[in-house]
Structure formats: structure tokens, C-alpha cells
Amino acid sequence: MISVNSVTVSFGGYDLFDNVSFLINPKDRIGLAGKNGAGKSTMLKLLAGEQPPTKGEISKPNDFTIGYLPQDMIHQHGRTVFDETATAFEEIQRLEVRLEHINHQLTTRDDYESPAYMRLIEELTEINHRLDIIGAGNKEEEIEKILKGLGFERADFERQTSEFSGGWRMRIELAKILLQKPDVLLLDEPTNHLDIESIQWLEETMDTFSGSVMLISHDKHFLDNVTTRTIEISNQKIYDYKTNYSRYLELRQERKDQQESAAKNQQKVINQTEALIDKYRAKASKAAFAQSLIKKLDRMEIVEVDESDTTTMSFRFPPPALSGKIVVTVEDAGKIYGTKQIFKNASFILAKGEKISFVGRNGEGKSTMMKMIAQQIDFDGKVQLGHNVMMGYFAQDQAEKLDQNKTVFETIDELAVGDIRKNVRTMLGSFLFGGDDIDKKVRVLSGGERGRLALCKLLLQPYNLLVLDEPTNHLDIRSKEVLKRAIVAYEGTVIIVSHDRDFLTDLTEKMYEFRNGEVKEHLGGIDEFMEKVKMQRLTEMNTKNPFVKAKVEVKKEKSQVVLQNEEREKELKQIKSQVTKSEKEIERLEKEIKIVDDKLSDSSQYQTIINDKEAFAKYEQTKKQLEAEMLNWESLQGKLEN
């Protein structure tokens, strides 16, 4: 357990956090939420011990282990992928040396009753327990399992880490952290460099991970599938929600509505009190009363309404120019890099107005096909654009390709032609570049700002084909939703590569999977596709791993285990029923409280409610009942997790 106690972090006189406290409990699954710059990454650095707080303390047990994956880090070279990953077992090697020393001590000493001898036995037990947890007996099998889950092929294991891109080296670091099996995992945007299948594998791994997890992610689907608790950082404070990201958004809005209602009620009280002060201040007989009212106002704690960062992009793609019915034709297309065949015999036709996506693991050829359609690389076979097709191409590294020395305004203005030049400032404003921001050099922009600027360039022409390779990289969740709405409303043809499942949901009509050198068409949505991939992976595991099959067969014979599982399922259903009942009770109590809150916000009813002692006492009692029911709900949720 990690305890954050009254922590304050200040930068140049500005408080990023002010006296915040919370606990990370065993098996917690926590998502950190908050606008950009709120301090999410700083919080992970504090917990990892990378940065000290200005005030307060962060305490944890002495033998506590933390695995921290930052967004950016310095990677080590000079080893193969397998050998670099194996460095994760340095703890095992250290423990084994200590274990050998203790065993030698126990066999050579004869002071069996001494405290020192008993301490050696206790340490021996602790080391053996730790070795069991981190899997000391099957290191090579664990390394292979983790690396393959993160997308590496067996042939990659003996390649030098320097041969891989930064994203793949980040996967190696994630593999090392997972193999160390720390008590707490701190992950800063872990899905940034993963493909859809690796993200799904990581979700499943998080589900069985024995420790606690705190993470930052702009992948809404990933957050909902992994987290059961959301800590929001807002206005130097934290708000703790015992739920996943989507439900947190609803509760946050409810919290803000309550704050606004309470602030409105308080302001009415203040106005009424000030009116009384003004009325009686000048009267000698009422002067003492007026002074008491003034002191009452001075002591009043003002209700604060949290500021919400409601700024977001707002744009639509321009109406597309007319094109022929056939937009893209691909026949027997393939690509070879050196001696490696990426894919071959790819054939499909893309019709006017269709929206499709390319899916599959990284390195299977999705971006390569995008470049072939954009005529940016040589290839085998035929890839041809249809009649009067005007293509807008957003490359995966489009944001990095921007001229670093130009300003935001110059980047767009030099490409704008005709009447569009008159609207460059308005266009930039819709992508959140307002005021002095348009004069910033590209080199000082954040990743998210560069991504928005690169997207803005797609509005400069009436393209009828958009080829978008990872357009959501570096975008926050709200910006992704705006981009998705713009694509849905767009009347032209779209090809998308994205690893964000929430972004792809209900966006494309069909998809083409790139796997093992082939390109296959899949009808249906991303959820159906991911279910097929999951079932395929399980089938492959059962087919290729006789150990797994043997375990399944043994389980079938153990009827006692089956009976225990059935009993467990029965208990689980009972708890779920209790949770549902508790949630309905919470909803009922909240409605009762809201009715009174609405009356309190009405100036014509406010005094009546305050003066009705019986009604007001019932209102206070209902709030206490709600608090008790919330605790009951949390307790039931804990039972479910266990």
C-alpha cells in the first residue's frame, strides 16, 4: 500500500498540487484523469520516487517494489531483445545469491534458539515466497510469453535492440517491468506504441496481475476495460471515484451540477445577509446584530465550482469534390523490403463514400499499404486511384514532419490558396490555436498541438479521399471524439489505420486485416474482429502448447473443482444481485436529495425548507443514508474483486 499524505508540489510559486492525500490499496486499478498540464505525469513521478514533493510525504513499506514506465526514457543498447529482457530477473539473481548464503549459514550454525537464527529462517521464508511470486523457475518461458504478447516474433529475440524503433524498445521496457511483477505498476500512456492486438493482450494481463496498477491513457476503451477507480486531478486538488472512466465522466458532471447548485444557494444567503447588514448597520440598536452578521460572512467557507477545461477542437471537413464510383483499385499488390516479404497478392476495391480501416499487428504492412496508395513508395502489382480522386494523406509521422522553424500561422498560410487564405486565423482557432499561439514556432509545440496542426492541413483542399495513418496519436480523448464526428459527417471516402478501438467503433463499415503476409477482408465492427482475434489466439495456444491441453484435461477430471467453481458462481451471482440492489437504492436516495436541492436553489422556497425543521432533518438523514449505502456498495465491489 502507498500512502500519499498532504502532498504539495510547487513550480515557480505555482502549486500543481495543494495538500492532496489518497491511498493506493492492494489490487487497485486506478486511472489518472485531468486536463493536459494538470499534473498526471508528475504524480506518477512522485509515486515512483523520481521527484520529491515540495511538502508532505509519500510512504510505502520497506520491501515494496514499484514498476514505472514513463512516456520517454533512455534505452540501453548492446544486447539482443531476449538478453535485454532477461535483465528483468536481476532481482531473482540477487535473491538466489542471498538464499545460498542463508542456507550455508543454517547448515553450519548451531545456535538454533537464538534470535539471529530465527531471523535467518524468517528471511529464508520471505525470499522463497518472493521467488514463487516472480516466477524464478521458468524464466525463459515467461520471457517468451511476454515478448510474444507484446508483438515480438521468435525471430526478433536474437536481434539487437538498436535495430528497433523507439516504440518497439518501449515495449521491451514494458516487458521487463511486467516480468519483475512489482507490487505497483505505474504506466504513463502504455498503449501509445502498441497495436490493437497487443493492447488487448495487455488488458488481459492487467486482469490477472497480482499487484496494483495506476495508469494514464488517452485510450478510453483501455481505461474502461482495465480501471475500476478514477482519480481526477483538478484545480490543485484530487477527486476520487470508485469507478471506471466512462462512469467517472457522468459522476463528474453530477458533482459540478451539485457545486453550482450549492454555490448558487450560498450566494443567495450572502446577498440576503449583506442586505440585512446594509439595513441595520446605521441603526445604533441593531449595530451589534449587523456586526455579528459581518463576522458570520467572514467565517463562511465559500463553495468553489471546479473550472472545467471545455476547450476542444471544432471543425468539419470541407465538402468533397466529385469523383468516380471506384476510388481505389488494388490488384495482386505486394511489397518486399530487402529479403523480407511484407505482404503479397493483396486485392480489393474501394468504392465512393466507403469508410474502411486497416487492422493488424505492427509491422504487418498497414502503413506500407497507405504509402502505396499515396504513391510514396515502389511496390509490386497494381494500386490505382479512380477518376478525379483528390487524396489527402496524413502520415503516421505527419506531426514530426512539420517545419520546425515556421510559425503555426506560416505552416497553414503558405499552403492556403484562394478564399481559404482569408479564413486561416478562423481555421486555426477551430483547432485551438488562438491569440498569440499562432505566432509560436512549431518546435515549441507539444505533441498534441502538433497533431492538431497537422490535421488542420487536411482542411485546405476539398479532398474526396482521406488516407489517415494513426491520426489520433497525441490527441486527447475529447479531440479524438471531435475528429471521429468529423469523419462520420464527411461525405467522401476514408481509409484509416488506428489502434484506438473506441475511435474505430461505429466508424468504419469493414476492415482489412494484415497478417502473416496476407490481406483479408472482414465485415462487421472492431468489437467483432477483436473477439475473433481473441478466440484465434486461444485456439493457437491450445494447439501449440501440449502443457495447456494437459491442464485442461486434468481439470475436466477433477469434479470437486467443478463443484467449487459452481458454488463460487452462485456466490458471485448473489453479490452481483446485492450490488444491483445497492445501486438502485443509491439512485433513489440521490433523486430524493436532488428534489430538496432544487427547492433550496429556488429563492421562493429556500426559506420555507430551512424553517421546516422536520423536512430539513429528513433531508440530512437521507444524505447520511446515501453515504452509508455508498460504503455498502464499495464493500460489495471489494467482494466482487476478491
Side-chain angles (χ1 to χ4, degrees):
M1 183 177 70
I2 298 180
S3 176
V4 177
N5 302 309
S6 304
V7 164
T8 296
V9 174
S10 303
F11 293 108
Y14 170 77
D15 287 343
L16 192 61
F17 310 122
D18 183 19
N19 198 35
V20 301
S21 300
F22 63 90
L23 294 175
I24 299 179
N25 302 303
K27 294 183 180 291
D28 263 346
R29 298 291 186 268
I30 304 171
L32 275 182
K35 66 181 183 181
N36 290 340
K40 300 188 293 294
S41 293
T42 301
M43 180 59 76
L44 290 192
K45 290 178 183 177
L46 292 171
L47 295 170
E50 299 276 321
Q51 179 179 324
T54 307
K55 296 178 184 176
E57 64 174 2
I58 297 174
S59 58
K60 54 185 181 290
N62 292 331
D63 58 347
F64 211 70
T65 56
I66 293 177
Y68 172 48
L69 183 76
Q71 281 194 54
D72 302 297
M73 62 192 306
I74 299 173
H75 302 284
Q76 301 298 321
H77 299 300
R79 295 191 183 99
T80 65
V81 170
F82 191 91
D83 289 342
E84 177 61 32
T85 309
T87 62
F89 292 108
E90 289 176 351
E91 182 187 2
I92 288 179
Q93 295 166 359
R94 177 176 56 79
L95 290 175
E96 287 176 341
V97 169
R98 179 60 182 164
L99 193 64
E100 185 178 348
H101 174 73
I102 292 174
N103 281 325
H104 176 72
Q105 289 284 310
L106 292 176
T107 55
T108 57
R109 294 173 58 159
D110 56 8
D111 54 334
Y112 309 120
E113 303 297 329
S114 70
Y117 195 90
M118 297 305 296
R119 281 196 296 270
L120 285 174
I121 293 177
E122 290 173 2
E123 187 180 356
L124 179 72
T125 304
E126 291 171 0
I127 290 176
N128 280 321
H129 179 64
R130 180 62 183 162
L131 288 172
D132 286 340
I133 291 175
I134 58 183
N138 52 354
K139 289 183 282 190
E140 292 188 1
E141 182 183 331
E142 285 289 304
I143 291 172
E144 181 175 346
K145 175 186 171 184
I146 296 290
L147 287 177
K148 293 186 78 171
L150 289 171
F152 289 93
E153 298 292 341
R154 191 185 294 274
D156 296 326
F157 291 2
E158 298 308 315
R159 292 172 59 189
Q160 292 289 313
T161 58
S162 56
E163 297 178 33
F164 291 86
S165 67
W168 282 97
R169 291 200 295 273
M170 192 64 77
R171 294 187 189 207
I172 296 172
E173 296 303 321
L174 178 56
K176 289 160 61 177
I177 292 171
L178 292 174
L179 286 166
Q180 290 165 1
K181 298 180 182 175
D183 296 300
V184 172
L185 270 178
L186 305 175
L187 306 176
D188 197 345
E189 295 289 359
T191 64
N192 270 2
H193 305 290
L194 301 181
D195 53 53
I196 285 179
E197 293 186 33
S198 297
I199 293 172
Q200 186 183 48
W201 175 87
L202 182 59
E203 287 176 357
E204 294 166 3
T205 301
M206 292 295 94
D207 190 46
T208 57
F209 177 67
S210 60
S212 304
V213 179
M214 177 177 278
L215 60 89
I216 301 167
S217 179
H218 286 155
D219 187 328
K220 185 178 178 182
H221 205 105
F222 181 73
L223 283 169
D224 281 346
N225 285 349
V226 172
T227 63
T228 56
R229 181 180 169 194
T230 303
I231 292 180
E232 179 193 18
I233 302 173
S234 177
N235 298 326
Q236 298 88 44
K237 299 189 289 290
I238 65 132
Y239 297 92
D240 202 340
Y241 299 84
K242 304 297 190 293
T243 187
N244 65 12
Y245 184 80
S246 291
R247 178 60 179 150
Y248 141 73
L249 291 177
E250 298 172 8
L251 294 175
R252 183 184 65 174
Q253 186 57 48
E254 291 176 11
R255 185 192 83 215
K256 188 179 179 187
D257 292 343
Q258 291 169 355
Q259 287 178 336
E260 289 175 347
S261 177
K264 186 177 179 182
N265 292 336
Q266 186 181 63
Q267 189 57 49
K268 288 177 182 176
V269 172
I270 291 172
N271 292 341
Q272 292 170 355
T273 305
E274 288 177 340
L276 288 173
I277 291 171
D278 291 339
K279 181 177 179 180
Y280 295 119
R281 190 196 303 268
K283 296 182 179 180
S285 60
K286 299 289 186 179
F289 177 60
Q291 285 299 316
S292 68
L293 291 177
I294 292 172
K295 290 178 181 178
K296 177 184 175 183
L297 282 184
D298 290 339
R299 290 193 301 268
M300 186 178 291
E301 186 174 342
I302 301 300
V303 175
E304 294 183 1
V305 178
D306 293 332
E307 296 179 11
S308 296
D309 182 16
T310 56
T311 56
T312 188
M313 296 191 302
S314 176
F315 74 95
R316 292 174 65 93
F317 290 107
L322 292 175
S323 70
K325 290 185 178 180
I326 303 300
V327 177
V328 179
T329 302
V330 178
E331 290 182 5
D332 296 324
K335 179 63 182 176
I336 299 175
Y337 283 112
T339 59
K340 184 177 181 181
Q341 179 90 48
I342 306 301
F343 59 82
K344 61 182 179 179
N345 302 328
S347 297
F348 59 87
I349 293 175
L350 183 58
K352 178 181 177 181
E354 280 192 305
K355 295 180 175 67
I356 69 163
S357 56
F358 292 161
V359 294
R361 296 172 298 189
N362 286 349
E364 294 280 3
K366 302 185 300 295
S367 294
T368 298
M369 178 61 83
M370 300 289 250
K371 291 175 183 175
M372 290 163 59
I373 293 171
Q375 304 293 311
Q376 299 225 337
I377 57 174
D378 297 328
F379 52 86
D380 301 322
K382 175 183 175 183
V383 178
Q384 181 178 309
L385 298 182
H387 174 67
N388 200 35
V389 170
M390 297 175 61
M391 180 179 60
Y393 175 49
F394 184 97
Q396 191 174 137
D397 57 351
Q398 192 77 31
E400 282 69 41
K401 287 182 177 179
L402 297 171
D403 191 328
Q404 305 291 302
N405 296 314
K406 288 182 179 173
T407 66
V408 170
F409 182 82
E410 289 168 346
T411 300
I412 302 301
D413 185 60
E414 70 173 15
L415 297 175
V417 294
D419 292 339
I420 291 180
R421 292 201 68 180
K422 301 175 185 177
N423 300 316
V424 169
R425 291 178 183 273
T426 302
M427 190 182 301
L428 286 170
S430 69
F431 283 84
L432 305 184
F433 294 106
D436 295 337
D437 291 339
I438 65 173
D439 296 320
K440 287 182 179 178
K441 295 284 187 181
V442 170
R443 63 172 174 267
V444 304
L445 299 180
S446 67
E449 288 171 329
R450 293 187 191 192
R452 297 200 307 269
L453 184 59
L455 281 173
C456 184
K457 294 172 70 174
L458 292 176
L459 272 61
L460 298 175
Q461 298 288 338
Y463 300 117
N464 47 34
L465 170 63
L466 294 178
V467 179
L468 309 176
D469 192 355
E470 298 288 6
T472 62
N473 277 357
H474 305 298
L475 295 184
D476 59 40
I477 291 175
R478 278 205 305 255
S479 296
K480 289 180 187 180
E481 291 171 350
V482 172
L483 175 59
K484 181 175 178 176
R485 288 197 297 269
I487 294 174
V488 169
Y490 176 61
E491 297 175 359
T493 309
V494 184
I495 305 173
I496 300 171
V497 171
S498 177
H499 64 256
D500 191 310
R501 287 158 297 170
D502 187 66
F503 181 71
L504 290 177
T505 300
D506 300 325
L507 183 59
T508 58
E509 296 103 352
K510 61 183 175 183
M511 49 194 63
Y512 290 91
E513 180 190 13
F514 289 69
R515 181 185 289 273
N516 300 328
E518 296 181 347
V519 181
K520 296 181 180 179
E521 181 181 275
H522 286 269
L523 299 177
I526 187 65
D527 290 334
E528 291 91 338
F529 171 74
M530 294 310 302
E531 191 61 32
K532 288 179 184 177
V533 169
K534 184 176 180 180
M535 294 306 297
Q536 181 179 341
R537 187 166 68 244
L538 290 173
T539 302
E540 289 176 355
M541 285 175 61
N542 289 339
T543 303
K544 294 179 180 179
N545 193 338
F547 177 69
V548 174
K549 290 177 71 176
K551 284 203 298 185
V552 173
E553 289 168 3
V554 169
K555 283 184 178 179
K556 286 181 180 178
E557 296 175 1
K558 294 183 178 179
S559 58
Q560 185 62 35
V561 174
V562 173
L563 290 172
Q564 289 175 353
N565 285 341
E566 288 177 351
E567 186 64 25
R568 187 169 174 272
E569 286 297 320
K570 183 179 178 181
E571 184 181 357
L572 194 63
K573 286 180 181 178
Q574 290 176 345
I575 297 174
K576 285 182 177 179
S577 175
Q578 291 172 344
V579 168
T580 302
K581 184 178 178 181
S582 178
E583 288 173 345
K584 288 181 180 178
E585 179 65 5
I586 288 170
E587 185 178 356
R588 183 187 69 80
L589 292 169
E590 286 178 337
K591 285 180 180 178
E592 287 187 14
I593 292 170
K594 188 175 186 304
I595 291 171
V596 181
D597 284 340
D598 291 341
K599 290 180 180 179
L600 287 170
S601 64
D602 187 345
S603 57
S604 62
Q605 300 184 65
Y606 175 79
Q607 204 62 46
T608 304
I609 295 294
I610 293 296
N611 292 336
D612 189 342
K613 292 183 179 180
E614 184 178 345
F616 198 79
K618 184 181 178 182
Y619 169 67
E620 291 295 325
Q621 182 62 31
T622 304
K623 289 200 291 185
K624 289 179 181 179
Q625 289 175 351
L626 176 61
E627 185 177 347
E629 194 58 48
M630 288 294 290
L631 291 172
N632 179 44
W633 180 85
E634 288 180 24
S635 174
L636 291 169
Q637 286 289 348
K639 289 181 180 179
L640 272 182
E641 291 175 8
N642 291 333

